[in-house]
Structures are given as C-alpha cells and as structure tokens.
Amino acid sequence: MKRPIPQCIRTSLWSRKYSVESARSSETFKSKPKASTPLRRTASASLPIRSNPTPTRGSIQPVFTLATAERYRLTRLRARLPKDSQMLHDSWWIPRWGDEGKEGEVFIFSNGSFVCWGLGEAEARQFADEIISAGEDIQLAPLREAETEELEFVTDPTEKTRIQGDLIILGSVAPLELAENAPAVPPAAPAFPFETLMARYAFSQALSRSTALSALEVSLEDYLSSVAQLPHSLERTGKPGLSREALIKKLGALMKFRQGLNLNRENFSDTPDLYWAEPELEGFFKSMTAALEVKARTNAVNDKITYATEVQSTLRQLLTESSTHSMELVIIALIAVEVVIALIRDGPELWHMAFGSADDDQNHSSSSAVAT
C-alpha cells in the first residue's frame, strides 16, 4: 500500500514547485526593465498628490524621454516636422503630435534626445521612427540601444509648479522676466496650456541631459568592460595583451568620452544662458537636475575616465619601455655583428700588428746566431 506523503513535505514540495514555475513564468513574460532613475528613491514623496485627487487637478500623464544618438542635427529636421513646429531656444518644439485622442507635445534637443509630454513609450518610439530615424544624416553616432527616462506630470492651477518625488506638478508660474524668451508666435492649438510652456521646457532640458548622460554612462561601462582584463593580463604574463596601436586607440576613446562629457557646447555642468535672466525657470531646471543627480553622476563618470586614463597611460609607458629595451637589444646585436665582420676582414692585419714584431725579432736573433 502506498504510504501517504506527510503534510509538511507536501507543503514544501508545493512551495518549491510554485517558486520554480513562478521563476519560469517571470523569465517568459517579464518585459525589459525600464531605465532606472534616482527619482525612484523619492517616489513616495508624490503619494499625497496621487492619492488625494481634487476637482482642479487633471489626470496623471506620462513624460517620456528617449535618447537615440550622441547628437542630432537640428537644422536638418525642419522638413520632417509639422508646420506649427518652431525653434525654442536650444530645441525644436512640436506643440501637438500624435493620434487624435492621445496627443502630446515634443521637445527635441541637439544632445541626441527628445522629451514627450502626454505620450508614452510606444508613441515616443513611433515618433523616433517617423521623424528622427527616417531622416537622412539627422543622427550622429546612433546608439546601439536607446536610453529612456520616464516620469509623470499632473496639471493643477491651484498648486505651485514644482517637482515632488517622481511627479511634476504644473500649476501657477510667474511671468517671464524677458518677454522675448517666450515663443514669438503662440501656436493655434497646443496640446497643453501655453502658460506653463517654459516650465515644461526647463524640465525637459534637464531630463534630456540626464538621459544623454545615461547613454554616456552605458557606453563607458561597455568600454571599461572591454579593458577590464588588461591589469589581470599584466599580472599573469607581465604583458598588457594589446599592441601599442590598440592601446592608443583605447586612449583616444577615453578622450572622446571626456570631450563628450565636458567640452561640448551643451555639456552636463553648465547652466544654459537662458536661465541667467529667468530665476524661476532656473529653479525648475536645477530642481530636476538635482533630483536626477546629474552633477554627482557627472563627477562619477569623470572619476572613472580619470582612472581608466591612468591605467591606459601606465600600459602605454610599459609598451614604450618594452620597445626601448627591444631597440637596445637590436643595437647591441648590430654592434656585435659589426665587430665580427671587422675581425673577419681585418683579423690577420691586426694579428700581425699585435704579434708580428715579436716573431720578427726572434727570427732575426736566430739568423744572427747561425751567421756567427
């Protein structure tokens, strides 16, 4: 007769089976994780706004940022954009884009990213396919994989415009200090209120920098992974494992990273000129930059580049010393060959000069004795 399985064992087997099936299910159906953002750590700060709707507050909508290249040629975008699009400081502004019933606005920046308000990831990637990727020579150095940043926003005219946790609140804003900083010709039917346009622009510029920085971080991590074995190779074999030319190319790649981080027209450290005359917009820009920890991440990337540069310089110096040692051996070998050739060519004469006079004196003495 078959013995019954005890309840504790049955429970253990069921739990193990369930955990295995859950793991398999998660592997099968788990979608690609979204890009992590420092704002996720402060997401709880937005719960009071999310959980207490008011009659004046609109629905919560997405803000999606997508980076697809290192740079965009903004001058070549005009022919592909809607007619009501216009340049807004350092970006192209599309006041309305999308299908009817799900329309939003888009800001395109030259750092290879664009920010969509009111549009999700699917609509953002559709915009990239139809506008960015379809144009010729718009993208400089396209990324192998696009980088994303996703937040949310809500409109409430009774609130003050700010960022709270991972939620942007678009409310009241002060008039601009300089009227010319606003678009000269307001569009006929923008997707969102014109009054908060410049606030959205300031938030968008900070978001675009963060996403472009994320792309640089990923590229740098790939680079560091490609050279991670060099110190180990040096430890095991006493040789770097790369040729001099390959090391110089790696050093050039590091210099390119540092140039992209610090020396481009729109780098990650400077505050754009617009905000020097607009203190409130500067506050929006800096609050988003601080929330995304752009400064700390920029310093971390610079430190990694500095360390990698020191490693590459050390390896290059070792290669130079190795080349110098090889050249010294070659010179010694050439000198030895020249000495051998000289001995072969002038050996008898040298021998005669060194030992011939003694032999002659001995022969002369012998001859004198015989004569006597």
Side-chain angles (χ1 to χ4, degrees):
M1 186 176 70
K2 186 185 247 185
R3 296 179 61 187
I5 301 175
Q7 179 65 29
C8 62
I9 297 178
R10 283 204 305 254
T11 303
S12 176
L13 291 174
W14 180 85
S15 300
R16 185 177 300 176
K17 178 181 178 182
Y18 177 78
S19 63
V20 171
E21 289 179 351
S22 299
R24 289 176 180 172
S25 176
S26 63
E27 290 177 1
T28 304
F29 299 103
K30 184 172 65 175
S31 60
K32 180 181 177 181
K34 295 184 181 299
S36 61
T37 167
L39 286 177
R40 302 302 180 207
R41 295 196 294 270
T42 60
S44 59
S46 65
L47 289 179
I49 299 293
R50 296 177 184 274
S51 58
N52 297 304
T54 64
T56 59
R57 191 173 300 153
S59 59
I60 295 177
Q61 300 183 65
V63 182
F64 196 85
T65 310
L66 194 67
T68 64
E70 291 183 7
R71 303 289 295 174
Y72 288 155
R73 290 189 176 101
L74 296 185
T75 55
R76 303 193 179 185
L77 271 171
R78 185 65 189 97
R80 306 197 57 79
L81 298 177
K83 293 182 179 179
D84 57 350
S85 303
Q86 55 183 294
M87 284 295 299
L88 183 61
H89 300 286
D90 295 328
S91 74
W92 272 109
W93 173 46
I94 299 102
R96 180 177 290 272
W97 194 88
D99 300 328
E100 187 175 354
K102 197 171 185 180
E103 294 177 315
E105 70 178 359
V106 183
F107 296 91
I108 308 175
F109 294 89
S110 61
N111 60 12
S113 64
F114 59 91
V115 183
C116 302
W117 291 75
L119 303 173
E121 181 174 2
E123 292 79 18
R125 293 189 181 275
Q126 181 183 356
F127 179 86
D129 293 338
E130 294 182 8
I131 305 298
I132 304 296
S133 301
E136 294 183 1
D137 297 331
I138 292 176
Q139 301 185 91
L140 290 174
L143 303 177
R144 289 183 299 175
E145 186 176 357
E147 287 296 319
T148 64
E149 188 86 51
E150 186 173 9
L151 298 177
E152 291 177 318
F153 77 98
V154 66
T155 58
D156 189 344
T158 64
E159 294 278 354
K160 185 178 179 181
T161 297
R162 66 189 187 278
I163 178 172
Q164 185 166 327
D166 61 344
L167 183 66
I168 299 172
I169 302 165
L170 295 177
S172 60
V173 292
L176 294 175
E177 298 289 334
L178 299 176
E180 58 266 25
N181 286 330
V185 182
F192 300 107
F194 188 74
E195 292 76 17
T196 57
L197 167 62
M198 294 308 298
R200 296 194 301 273
Y201 171 83
F203 287 130
S204 297
Q205 192 165 29
L207 280 167
S208 73
R209 283 193 177 187
S210 175
T211 312
L213 179 58
S214 296
L216 190 63
E217 289 171 332
V218 170
S219 299
L220 181 58
E221 289 299 327
D222 292 341
Y223 172 86
L224 293 176
S225 298
S226 70
V227 298
Q229 294 303 315
L230 292 182
H232 299 287
S233 174
L234 192 63
E235 180 185 16
R236 290 194 309 268
T237 66
K239 298 179 181 179
L242 285 179
S243 65
R244 180 182 176 85
E245 181 181 359
L247 277 177
I248 292 176
K249 288 182 178 180
K250 292 290 186 182
L251 195 59
L254 279 177
M255 294 175 65
K256 183 180 177 183
F257 280 127
R258 179 152 284 175
Q259 179 181 4
L261 189 68
N262 300 301
L263 300 179
N264 280 336
R265 179 177 177 271
E266 185 183 351
N267 58 43
F268 300 99
S269 303
D270 296 339
T271 300
D273 295 341
L274 165 67
Y275 304 121
W276 293 105
E278 301 293 344
E280 188 177 43
L281 295 184
E282 182 182 10
F284 298 151
F285 174 82
K286 288 188 173 181
S287 64
M288 180 63 77
T289 299
L292 294 167
E293 300 178 356
V294 172
K295 184 177 181 180
R297 290 160 58 199
T298 301
N299 292 336
V301 171
N302 263 325
D303 291 342
K304 290 180 180 179
I305 293 175
T306 299
Y307 169 74
T309 303
E310 291 174 354
V311 172
Q312 296 296 319
S313 298
T314 301
L315 293 175
R316 184 182 174 188
Q317 184 178 358
L318 289 174
L319 276 181
T320 302
E321 292 177 357
S322 177
S323 300
T324 303
H325 180 65
S326 299
M327 291 183 65
E328 289 175 352
L329 293 178
V330 170
I331 292 172
I332 292 172
L334 291 175
I335 293 173
V337 170
E338 187 173 353
V339 169
V340 171
I341 292 175
L343 288 174
I344 294 174
R345 184 185 61 207
D346 303 325
E349 183 178 352
L350 293 173
W351 179 268
H352 180 74
M353 291 174 60
F355 303 102
S357 58
D359 293 341
D360 291 344
D361 292 342
Q362 186 177 0
N363 292 333
H364 179 72
S365 300
S366 300
S367 300
S368 298
V370 171
T372 304

Short mmCIF file of all heavy atoms in Angstrom, two decimals, residues 326-357:
data_model
loop_
_atom_site.label_atom_id
_atom_site.label_comp_id
_atom_site.label_asym_id
_atom_site.label_seq_id
_atom_site.Cartn_x
_atom_site.Cartn_y
_atom_site.Cartn_z
N SER A 326 63.78 46.58 -26.54
CA SER A 326 63.98 45.80 -27.77
C SER A 326 64.95 46.50 -28.71
O SER A 326 65.81 45.87 -29.33
CB SER A 326 62.63 45.58 -28.46
OG SER A 326 61.75 44.85 -27.63
N MET A 327 64.81 47.82 -28.81
CA MET A 327 65.72 48.58 -29.67
C MET A 327 67.16 48.50 -29.15
O MET A 327 68.11 48.40 -29.94
CB MET A 327 65.26 50.02 -29.77
CG MET A 327 63.96 50.21 -30.54
SD MET A 327 63.50 51.94 -30.72
CE MET A 327 64.84 52.53 -31.74
N GLU A 328 67.32 48.53 -27.82
CA GLU A 328 68.66 48.41 -27.26
C GLU A 328 69.27 47.05 -27.60
O GLU A 328 70.46 46.96 -27.95
CB GLU A 328 68.59 48.58 -25.74
CG GLU A 328 68.29 50.01 -25.30
CD GLU A 328 68.10 50.11 -23.80
OE1 GLU A 328 68.06 49.04 -23.14
OE2 GLU A 328 67.98 51.24 -23.28
N LEU A 329 68.47 45.99 -27.52
CA LEU A 329 68.98 44.66 -27.88
C LEU A 329 69.36 44.60 -29.35
O LEU A 329 70.38 43.99 -29.72
CB LEU A 329 67.92 43.60 -27.55
CG LEU A 329 67.60 43.38 -26.07
CD1 LEU A 329 66.50 42.34 -25.91
CD2 LEU A 329 68.86 42.94 -25.32
N VAL A 330 68.56 45.23 -30.20
CA VAL A 330 68.86 45.24 -31.64
C VAL A 330 70.17 45.98 -31.89
O VAL A 330 71.02 45.54 -32.68
CB VAL A 330 67.70 45.88 -32.42
CG1 VAL A 330 68.11 46.13 -33.87
CG2 VAL A 330 66.47 44.99 -32.38
N ILE A 331 70.35 47.12 -31.19
CA ILE A 331 71.59 47.90 -31.38
C ILE A 331 72.80 47.09 -30.92
O ILE A 331 73.85 47.06 -31.58
CB ILE A 331 71.49 49.23 -30.61
CG1 ILE A 331 70.43 50.13 -31.27
CG2 ILE A 331 72.84 49.94 -30.57
CD1 ILE A 331 70.11 51.38 -30.49
N ILE A 332 72.67 46.39 -29.77
CA ILE A 332 73.78 45.56 -29.28
C ILE A 332 74.09 44.45 -30.28
O ILE A 332 75.27 44.16 -30.57
CB ILE A 332 73.42 44.98 -27.91
CG1 ILE A 332 73.36 46.10 -26.86
CG2 ILE A 332 74.43 43.92 -27.49
CD1 ILE A 332 72.82 45.66 -25.52
N ALA A 333 73.05 43.84 -30.83
CA ALA A 333 73.26 42.78 -31.81
C ALA A 333 73.96 43.31 -33.06
O ALA A 333 74.87 42.67 -33.62
CB ALA A 333 71.93 42.13 -32.18
N LEU A 334 73.55 44.51 -33.52
CA LEU A 334 74.20 45.10 -34.69
C LEU A 334 75.67 45.41 -34.43
O LEU A 334 76.52 45.20 -35.30
CB LEU A 334 73.45 46.38 -35.10
CG LEU A 334 72.04 46.18 -35.69
CD1 LEU A 334 71.37 47.52 -35.92
CD2 LEU A 334 72.12 45.41 -37.01
N ILE A 335 75.95 45.91 -33.22
CA ILE A 335 77.35 46.20 -32.88
C ILE A 335 78.17 44.91 -32.87
O ILE A 335 79.31 44.84 -33.37
CB ILE A 335 77.42 46.91 -31.52
CG1 ILE A 335 76.81 48.31 -31.62
CG2 ILE A 335 78.86 47.00 -31.03
CD1 ILE A 335 76.68 49.03 -30.31
N ALA A 336 77.58 43.84 -32.30
CA ALA A 336 78.29 42.56 -32.26
C ALA A 336 78.56 42.03 -33.66
O ALA A 336 79.66 41.53 -33.97
CB ALA A 336 77.47 41.54 -31.46
N VAL A 337 77.57 42.15 -34.55
CA VAL A 337 77.77 41.71 -35.94
C VAL A 337 78.86 42.51 -36.61
O VAL A 337 79.71 41.97 -37.33
CB VAL A 337 76.44 41.83 -36.72
CG1 VAL A 337 76.67 41.61 -38.22
CG2 VAL A 337 75.42 40.81 -36.20
N GLU A 338 78.86 43.83 -36.36
CA GLU A 338 79.90 44.67 -36.98
C GLU A 338 81.29 44.30 -36.46
O GLU A 338 82.26 44.29 -37.22
CB GLU A 338 79.59 46.13 -36.68
CG GLU A 338 80.51 47.09 -37.43
CD GLU A 338 80.09 48.52 -37.27
OE1 GLU A 338 79.00 48.76 -36.69
OE2 GLU A 338 80.84 49.41 -37.71
N VAL A 339 81.40 43.95 -35.18
CA VAL A 339 82.69 43.53 -34.62
C VAL A 339 83.16 42.24 -35.27
O VAL A 339 84.35 42.09 -35.63
CB VAL A 339 82.57 43.38 -33.10
CG1 VAL A 339 83.82 42.69 -32.53
CG2 VAL A 339 82.37 44.73 -32.44
N VAL A 340 82.23 41.29 -35.44
CA VAL A 340 82.60 40.02 -36.07
C VAL A 340 83.08 40.24 -37.50
O VAL A 340 84.10 39.68 -37.94
CB VAL A 340 81.41 39.05 -36.03
CG1 VAL A 340 81.70 37.81 -36.87
CG2 VAL A 340 81.10 38.65 -34.60
N ILE A 341 82.37 41.09 -38.23
CA ILE A 341 82.77 41.37 -39.62
C ILE A 341 84.15 42.03 -39.65
O ILE A 341 85.01 41.71 -40.50
CB ILE A 341 81.71 42.26 -40.29
CG1 ILE A 341 80.40 41.48 -40.47
CG2 ILE A 341 82.21 42.75 -41.65
CD1 ILE A 341 79.26 42.31 -41.00
N ALA A 342 84.37 42.96 -38.73
CA ALA A 342 85.69 43.63 -38.68
C ALA A 342 86.80 42.64 -38.37
O ALA A 342 87.90 42.71 -38.96
CB ALA A 342 85.65 44.74 -37.65
N LEU A 343 86.53 41.69 -37.47
CA LEU A 343 87.54 40.69 -37.14
C LEU A 343 87.84 39.79 -38.33
O LEU A 343 88.99 39.43 -38.58
CB LEU A 343 87.07 39.85 -35.95
CG LEU A 343 87.08 40.57 -34.58
CD1 LEU A 343 86.47 39.67 -33.52
CD2 LEU A 343 88.48 40.99 -34.20
N ILE A 344 86.79 39.42 -39.05
CA ILE A 344 86.99 38.57 -40.23
C ILE A 344 87.78 39.31 -41.30
O ILE A 344 88.69 38.77 -41.95
CB ILE A 344 85.64 38.08 -40.77
CG1 ILE A 344 84.98 37.14 -39.75
CG2 ILE A 344 85.82 37.37 -42.11
CD1 ILE A 344 83.59 36.73 -40.13
N ARG A 345 87.44 40.57 -41.49
CA ARG A 345 88.07 41.36 -42.57
C ARG A 345 89.48 41.79 -42.20
O ARG A 345 90.40 41.70 -42.99
CB ARG A 345 87.20 42.57 -42.88
CG ARG A 345 87.69 43.41 -44.05
CD ARG A 345 86.82 44.64 -44.18
NE ARG A 345 86.92 45.44 -42.95
CZ ARG A 345 85.94 46.26 -42.54
NH1 ARG A 345 84.81 46.33 -43.22
NH2 ARG A 345 86.12 46.95 -41.44
N ASP A 346 89.67 42.28 -41.01
CA ASP A 346 90.96 42.87 -40.63
C ASP A 346 91.72 42.03 -39.60
O ASP A 346 92.70 42.49 -39.00
CB ASP A 346 90.75 44.28 -40.06
CG ASP A 346 90.04 45.18 -41.04
OD1 ASP A 346 90.29 45.03 -42.26
OD2 ASP A 346 89.23 46.03 -40.60
N GLY A 347 91.27 40.80 -39.36
CA GLY A 347 91.89 39.98 -38.34
C GLY A 347 93.37 39.71 -38.57
O GLY A 347 94.20 39.92 -37.65
N PRO A 348 93.78 39.22 -39.74
CA PRO A 348 95.21 38.95 -39.96
C PRO A 348 96.09 40.17 -39.76
O PRO A 348 97.17 40.08 -39.16
CB PRO A 348 95.24 38.47 -41.42
CG PRO A 348 93.87 37.92 -41.65
CD PRO A 348 92.97 38.79 -40.87
N GLU A 349 95.64 41.29 -40.26
CA GLU A 349 96.43 42.50 -40.12
C GLU A 349 96.56 42.90 -38.65
O GLU A 349 97.64 43.28 -38.18
CB GLU A 349 95.80 43.64 -40.91
CG GLU A 349 96.61 44.93 -40.87
CD GLU A 349 95.98 46.03 -41.71
OE1 GLU A 349 95.00 45.73 -42.43
OE2 GLU A 349 96.47 47.17 -41.64
N LEU A 350 95.46 42.78 -37.93
CA LEU A 350 95.51 43.10 -36.52
C LEU A 350 96.42 42.13 -35.77
O LEU A 350 97.16 42.50 -34.86
CB LEU A 350 94.09 43.08 -35.92
CG LEU A 350 93.12 44.16 -36.42
CD1 LEU A 350 91.72 43.92 -35.89
CD2 LEU A 350 93.61 45.55 -35.99
N TRP A 351 96.33 40.85 -36.14
CA TRP A 351 97.20 39.86 -35.52
C TRP A 351 98.68 40.16 -35.77
O TRP A 351 99.51 40.05 -34.88
CB TRP A 351 96.84 38.48 -36.05
CG TRP A 351 97.70 37.39 -35.48
CD1 TRP A 351 98.86 36.87 -35.98
CD2 TRP A 351 97.46 36.69 -34.26
NE1 TRP A 351 99.37 35.89 -35.18
CE2 TRP A 351 98.52 35.75 -34.10
CE3 TRP A 351 96.44 36.75 -33.29
CZ2 TRP A 351 98.58 34.88 -33.01
CZ3 TRP A 351 96.52 35.88 -32.23
CH2 TRP A 351 97.58 34.97 -32.08
N HIS A 352 98.97 40.54 -37.03
CA HIS A 352 100.35 40.87 -37.39
C HIS A 352 100.85 42.08 -36.63
O HIS A 352 101.98 42.12 -36.15
CB HIS A 352 100.45 41.11 -38.90
CG HIS A 352 101.84 41.47 -39.34
ND1 HIS A 352 102.88 40.55 -39.40
CD2 HIS A 352 102.37 42.67 -39.72
CE1 HIS A 352 103.97 41.15 -39.81
NE2 HIS A 352 103.70 42.44 -40.03
N MET A 353 99.90 43.08 -36.48
CA MET A 353 100.30 44.28 -35.75
C MET A 353 100.56 43.97 -34.28
O MET A 353 101.45 44.55 -33.67
CB MET A 353 99.20 45.35 -35.87
CG MET A 353 99.07 45.93 -37.29
SD MET A 353 97.65 47.04 -37.41
CE MET A 353 98.10 48.27 -36.19
N ALA A 354 99.79 43.04 -33.74
CA ALA A 354 99.92 42.74 -32.32
C ALA A 354 101.06 41.78 -32.03
O ALA A 354 101.80 41.95 -31.06
CB ALA A 354 98.60 42.20 -31.78
N PHE A 355 101.24 40.74 -32.85
CA PHE A 355 102.20 39.68 -32.54
C PHE A 355 103.31 39.52 -33.59
O PHE A 355 104.24 38.75 -33.39
CB PHE A 355 101.47 38.34 -32.38
CG PHE A 355 100.39 38.39 -31.33
CD1 PHE A 355 99.05 38.49 -31.71
CD2 PHE A 355 100.70 38.37 -29.98
CE1 PHE A 355 98.06 38.53 -30.76
CE2 PHE A 355 99.69 38.41 -29.03
CZ PHE A 355 98.38 38.49 -29.42
N GLY A 356 103.21 40.19 -34.70
CA GLY A 356 104.18 40.01 -35.78
C GLY A 356 105.56 40.52 -35.41
O GLY A 356 106.58 39.93 -35.75
N SER A 357 105.73 41.64 -34.70
CA SER A 357 107.04 42.21 -34.35
C SER A 357 107.83 41.28 -33.45
O SER A 357 109.05 41.12 -33.59
CB SER A 357 106.85 43.56 -33.66
OG SER A 357 106.04 43.41 -32.50
#
